[in-house]
Amino acid sequence: MPDVSVVVIVYNDADRLPTAVQSVLDQTLRDVEVVIVDDCSTDRSFDVARNLAATHPERVRAFQLPENSGAGGEPRNAGIPRTTGKYVMFLDSDDVLEPNACRNMLEAAEETGSDIVSGLCVRLHKDTRHQKRDEWYAWMYSTTRTLESVTELPDLFVWDTLSTNKCYRREFLMENELRFPKGMFYEDLMFIAEAYLKAERITLIPNQVYFWHVYERAAVKSVTNRRHEMTNYAHRLEIHRRIDALLAERGLTEMKLAKDVKFLKHDLVLHLRDLPFRDESYRREFAELSREYLAGIAPEAYERVQPIQAICAYLLQKGDWDNLIPAVDTLINRDKLSSPLAERDGRIYWCDGHFDDEFGRDVLDVTDAGYHEKPVNKLFLRNQLTRFHESGRAVSLSGRITNPLGIIPAGARLAGELEFSARRRSLQSFRFPVRALRHDGDTIHWEATADLTSKLRPLGIVDTIWDVRLALDADGVRTTTRLTVADTELAGPPLPVRPWLTRIVADHIEPHISARGHLAFQLVSENRNSERVQELIARGVRGKPGALAKSGYRKAKALRKKVTSGDNKLRAYHEVFSRLPIKKRTVVFESHLGKQYSDSPRAIYEEMRRQGLDFEAIWSYAGSPKEFPQDVTLVRRWSLPYLKALAQAEFWVDNQSYPLKLVKRPETTYIQTWHGSALKNMGFDQPALKAQTRQQQAAQQRSLDRFDRFLCRSEHDVRTLAKAFRLKEKTLLRVGYPRNDALVRSRQREAERGRRERGALAAELGIPDDKTVLLYAPTFRKAGGRHGRFTLPFDVERFAEQFGDRYVLLVRSHYLNHVVLPPTVEGRVIDVSARHDVTPVLELADGLITDYSSVMFDYALLDRPLVFFTYDYDEYVHEGRGTYFDLLEHAPGPVVRTEEEFYETVKSFDTQALEYAAARAEFVAKFGEYDRGDAARSIVDQFFAQWIRQWSR
């Protein structure tokens, strides 16, 4: 009796069958047999199978079904009783086994006594240039583990539904009469579900065992990839119904919920993506099949998938095609907003309708997505092509651009242009004016004509695909859209064009629909010899000249990728850039890891400019450089120019840390301004750092030892931050924070004049003079929730309703968080999180609401009221990394724990200025004693004053 029997099934795959069988014969475990079952092929497959059996009579046997079963289940069923091994595996004729698969699975099965052993399946995309590979749910196979029941790992049941990456004890299959459903697609799902549920022990091993060969461009698609056939979808639903029944019999409601989630986010999505390209009869039948099954999906499943997935499933069940097809556009193009949206009762909904259905309102509520807060240039809007007509040598187009919530007002000045651009980047593009633009309900209607024949001049060969975009300008604000085809017919003959390189290969251009449903154009040829010419070119490309050219290109590309990798960038910094001479009078500034132009580095830079110093300013940025000054050199963080600038700079100035692995040169002076005094434990006072190995702590200390000067604003900083970072006394500069100079001066001006001046920011934000301004600025929180956003700990709509006549509330989240405000609070609650520098916002605010944020130390300098809303105090203080002092004892304002206490405190906000005056003074004396309003000038005088311009002396 062999150790393992491998059932290889085949249908009309004579050419690939030998490779599959050979992968079994070449196993390092020699005692393996092959059972080939041919599903009544019409090609040479069975002849090939019999030849293999004749060549290897002791190891290969071949059988044929009397008639074709139409799916992969019945051939496997026929193979199981014909096996003689102790264990059974399955292999498809177009795939192969990893050479050690049988040995590794057998050893695991024998050691653990498992009914099923499962290993890692690797999908190889055979028709891609480098045979792209992806591992099938590899996270489940990170280590060897044995389950006494599949309920210990529901994700295994839900996601790894393959039968082929597994080894089964033969007696287990026979005793439980485990068979594949006959004549059904997706037979694996049903078989493996029953096997999982009946197995008394399952072992997972981290070894690759099965290579699944994927052919995206195959002329004949596999049955499961023919999603345009309704039978495919009907079989999928039937298999899911049967599995649901199995779970219901066993009362496995949690596993059923997990499976429902998978259906919504995976199985259904696969078919929904094709709906825009199907006709009405297909859609109607698809909806009928879906409606009954979706009715059995647990409502909780909708909460565990992406909002657009839930929206599509709901609209499909309701048969709302007018809203579903646009929603599928967003499903395919994740960032696209395809719906005009609707506002009701202060909430934003995906579409207008279904408000009488409580469940539907919840699913369609997209307020937290924040669409209503984004300007038009930050939105990727759906642009539905409504007309496509070829006339002579030109093409006439028209369409509708979605105008969500009327974001483009009726009186806006509109302009636009069509852009045809070669898909291969860095090649040419051509533009055509849009001749008509007007509002049409909740869309913008447009019309344009593109004379492709006379103006569009492709190169030929290298730019065969041309994408089309429409750029819309509304009152000077520009947004770019793609043209969604959907139901619009692209009729007409190819249009003639004149490529620069050759007309032999391509002399016409015809419309083409991209994989994401957008209009594109493709170069074609009407030359009857073009196919022959293309074949000659292809041979040249495949031949020696082409091979040399491609080899050179790939080497250059690989070298570029290698040079720009993290390790090689570090090598370039230390071995190349650090050997260049230091550039005198050069300063590299950075704030919050390059995310902002703000804080003390900004204050020092602006003081240097104010004094007219002669120096080169280099600012690091991460993301957009838009808000950074124009009179500096900008370098993207972690780019080669960034590393070169740091290596040659005479000074580094930042408030957090330059990349930890960069060694500072002795000739460079590092001024660390830091970004706030500490309430919570920092540095080596944190439990996590204390638990590190000596080597890890030493690496951390080396990065901290780069600081030549460290700014302190109080002796509290010396006792906490300096001690936690193990800084030497000579490193400390007791000068205060340059960013706080403006706050100290603001307080002094207010005391001298006896009144406050709000300045330009209040007018910019539209805040009336008679409203008191409160600022809510919490510390960092790990984002959560359905949309992954920080959720405010109080009902912001209730706040606006209760206090909107007296207060304007500014909300500033931590720079690593973001919040979304409902539209009902507009004008009464304003999100100021996107502003780089918080100092002007602090100056504007009449009072601060915070929790544990270090902004409390800065704001106290203004001597204005503070409220501490510490709704999670016990968790934050006692379960987190700990604090340096008891906030309840030292807070210079009321500390509240509940939302009701918070509202009561806000009611009496005006009385706190006097009530806590002494506490604020004591707080500033303790935590801001060196903030005197001259920190930036002091730093500049100490380190940069000698750079004064000659002409200014």
Side-chain angles (χ1 to χ4, degrees), residues 300-530:
E300 295 85 353
Y302 286 77
E303 300 175 2
R304 300 190 185 183
V305 300
Q306 294 178 16
I308 191 60
Q309 294 169 346
I311 288 168
C312 287
Y314 176 80
L315 294 174
L316 174 63
Q317 188 182 13
K318 293 297 181 181
D320 185 351
W321 293 104
D322 289 342
N323 289 307
L324 173 60
I325 295 302
V328 172
D329 195 9
T330 295
L331 185 71
I332 298 171
N333 301 276
R334 183 178 58 182
D335 298 325
K336 184 184 290 188
L337 178 53
S338 61
S339 171
L341 305 179
E343 181 178 352
R344 175 171 291 201
D345 300 327
R347 307 294 294 175
I348 305 299
Y349 295 90
W350 181 257
C351 57
D352 192 3
H354 309 289
F355 294 122
D356 57 341
D357 179 2
E358 183 177 352
F359 176 67
R361 284 201 311 274
D362 182 59
V363 170
L364 298 173
D365 188 334
V366 293
T367 308
D368 289 345
Y371 293 127
H372 59 285
E373 292 189 334
K374 296 180 181 179
V376 68
N377 60 325
K378 297 294 185 182
L379 293 173
F380 176 25
L381 300 175
R382 174 178 167 89
N383 186 348
Q384 170 66 59
L385 186 68
T386 56
R387 181 174 180 269
F388 180 95
H389 177 68
E390 293 181 3
S391 176
R393 305 167 75 87
V395 59
S396 295
L397 308 168
S398 62
R400 298 189 305 266
I401 301 173
T402 300
N403 186 18
L405 302 173
I407 190 171
I408 303 173
R413 300 185 309 278
L414 302 178
E417 61 181 6
L418 282 177
E419 179 184 84
F420 288 70
S421 57
R423 182 167 296 175
R424 182 171 291 186
R425 290 162 57 184
S426 79
L427 296 181
Q428 54 189 342
S429 62
F430 300 92
R431 292 174 175 80
F432 303 87
V434 173
R435 69 170 183 266
L437 277 164
R438 68 175 186 273
H439 278 77
D440 184 13
D442 51 18
T443 64
I444 304 295
H445 174 82
W446 61 270
E447 298 173 11
T449 298
D451 186 354
L452 300 183
T453 298
S454 63
K455 187 172 182 181
L456 191 145
R457 294 294 307 276
L459 297 172
I461 303 176
V462 295
D463 53 356
T464 56
I465 301 294
W466 289 74
D467 292 314
V468 188
R469 294 173 174 82
L470 187 146
L472 175 67
D473 187 291
D475 284 338
V477 180
R478 189 179 181 91
T479 186
T480 302
T481 66
R482 298 292 301 270
L483 277 55
T484 300
V485 178
D487 298 324
T488 304
E489 185 178 356
L490 304 179
L495 296 169
V497 291
R498 295 178 298 160
W500 287 105
L501 298 180
T502 177
R503 294 191 216 177
I504 299 176
V505 175
D507 54 12
H508 284 71
I509 195 165
E510 65 180 8
H512 164 75
I513 303 176
S514 75
R516 294 183 180 272
H518 298 135
L519 177 66
F521 283 82
Q522 184 172 13
L523 289 180
V524 295
S525 176
E526 293 192 342
N527 187 323
R528 61 185 179 182
N529 295 318
S530 65

Side-chain angles (χ1 to χ4, degrees), residues 912-924:
Q912 296 168 29
L914 291 176
E915 183 178 352
Y916 286 90
R920 287 195 301 274
E922 182 181 347
F923 191 80
V924 170

Side-chain angles (χ1 to χ4, degrees), residues 123-420:
R123 284 165 50 100
L124 293 177
H125 297 260
K126 299 294 286 184
D127 47 12
T128 59
R129 179 182 295 176
H130 301 294
Q131 294 200 13
K132 186 185 76 170
R133 54 183 282 146
D134 54 77
E135 298 177 343
W136 191 258
Y137 306 111
W139 64 269
M140 286 190 286
Y141 293 95
S142 58
T143 186
T144 300
R145 56 175 155 177
T146 298
L147 313 172
E148 300 301 322
S149 167
V150 73
T151 57
E152 295 177 20
L153 185 60
D155 280 350
L156 180 64
F157 180 92
V158 170
W159 292 102
D160 188 357
T161 55
L162 300 178
S163 65
T164 49
N165 61 331
K166 296 171 178 63
C167 177
Y168 310 86
R169 189 167 56 84
R170 187 177 186 278
E171 287 184 10
F172 165 71
L173 296 179
M174 303 303 290
E175 290 171 0
N176 290 283
E177 299 181 346
L178 289 170
R179 297 295 185 270
F180 293 84
K182 183 177 180 179
M184 297 283 292
F185 302 155
Y186 306 105
E187 68 281 349
D188 275 25
L189 275 69
M190 187 67 200
F191 173 84
I192 199 61
E194 290 187 292
Y196 278 148
L197 292 173
K198 290 186 176 180
E200 295 182 1
R201 185 170 293 169
I202 302 169
T203 294
L204 310 183
I205 61 174
N207 310 84
Q208 298 179 5
V209 298
Y210 194 90
F211 293 109
W212 175 359
H213 292 169
V214 180
Y215 298 88
E216 300 282 357
R217 302 173 199 156
V220 179
K221 298 288 186 183
S222 65
V223 290
T224 53
N225 282 329
R226 297 202 292 266
R227 289 189 290 272
H228 60 284
E229 298 175 1
M230 192 57 67
T231 302
N232 185 296
Y233 186 55
H235 283 199
R236 187 188 288 270
L237 290 183
E238 177 57 29
I239 291 293
H240 275 279
R241 288 190 188 95
R242 295 183 186 185
I243 297 173
D244 290 344
L246 286 178
L247 296 174
E249 287 174 10
R250 291 164 173 76
L252 298 174
T253 54
E254 281 301 313
M255 196 171 289
K256 167 65 164 59
L257 175 59
K259 182 184 159 298
D260 286 348
V261 170
K262 189 246 187 178
F263 180 83
L264 292 180
K265 70 193 307 183
H266 176 72
D267 299 76
L268 183 61
V269 166
L270 288 175
H271 293 269
L272 283 173
R273 293 170 65 93
D274 293 329
L275 276 187
F277 314 109
R278 304 289 170 240
D279 58 27
E280 185 178 348
S281 62
Y282 180 97
R283 293 175 186 176
R284 188 161 49 247
E285 186 177 358
F286 184 83
E288 287 300 318
L289 287 172
S290 304
R291 190 170 293 116
E292 180 184 353
Y293 188 77
L294 288 172
I297 296 286
E300 295 85 353
Y302 286 77
E303 300 175 2
R304 300 190 185 183
V305 300
Q306 294 178 16
I308 191 60
Q309 294 169 346
I311 288 168
C312 287
Y314 176 80
L315 294 174
L316 174 63
Q317 188 182 13
K318 293 297 181 181
D320 185 351
W321 293 104
D322 289 342
N323 289 307
L324 173 60
I325 295 302
V328 172
D329 195 9
T330 295
L331 185 71
I332 298 171
N333 301 276
R334 183 178 58 182
D335 298 325
K336 184 184 290 188
L337 178 53
S338 61
S339 171
L341 305 179
E343 181 178 352
R344 175 171 291 201
D345 300 327
R347 307 294 294 175
I348 305 299
Y349 295 90
W350 181 257
C351 57
D352 192 3
H354 309 289
F355 294 122
D356 57 341
D357 179 2
E358 183 177 352
F359 176 67
R361 284 201 311 274
D362 182 59
V363 170
L364 298 173
D365 188 334
V366 293
T367 308
D368 289 345
Y371 293 127
H372 59 285
E373 292 189 334
K374 296 180 181 179
V376 68
N377 60 325
K378 297 294 185 182
L379 293 173
F380 176 25
L381 300 175
R382 174 178 167 89
N383 186 348
Q384 170 66 59
L385 186 68
T386 56
R387 181 174 180 269
F388 180 95
H389 177 68
E390 293 181 3
S391 176
R393 305 167 75 87
V395 59
S396 295
L397 308 168
S398 62
R400 298 189 305 266
I401 301 173
T402 300
N403 186 18
L405 302 173
I407 190 171
I408 303 173
R413 300 185 309 278
L414 302 178
E417 61 181 6
L418 282 177
E419 179 184 84
F420 288 70

Side-chain angles (χ1 to χ4, degrees), residues 864-894:
R864 299 174 195 165
L866 296 92
V867 172
F868 298 84
F869 187 10
T870 58
Y871 56 93
D872 55 353
Y873 184 83
D874 293 331
E875 176 185 352
Y876 191 89
V877 173
H878 301 302
E879 298 179 21
R881 63 196 197 194
T883 60
Y884 286 118
F885 63 88
D886 187 350
L887 181 63
L888 301 180
E889 179 182 345
H890 293 87

Side-chain angles (χ1 to χ4, degrees), residues 770-773 803-808 906-910:
D770 62 342
K771 295 290 182 65
T772 299
V773 180
F803 302 109
D805 59 335
R806 297 168 53 193
Y807 301 124
V808 170
V906 172
K907 288 179 184 177
S908 60
F909 207 90
D910 295 339

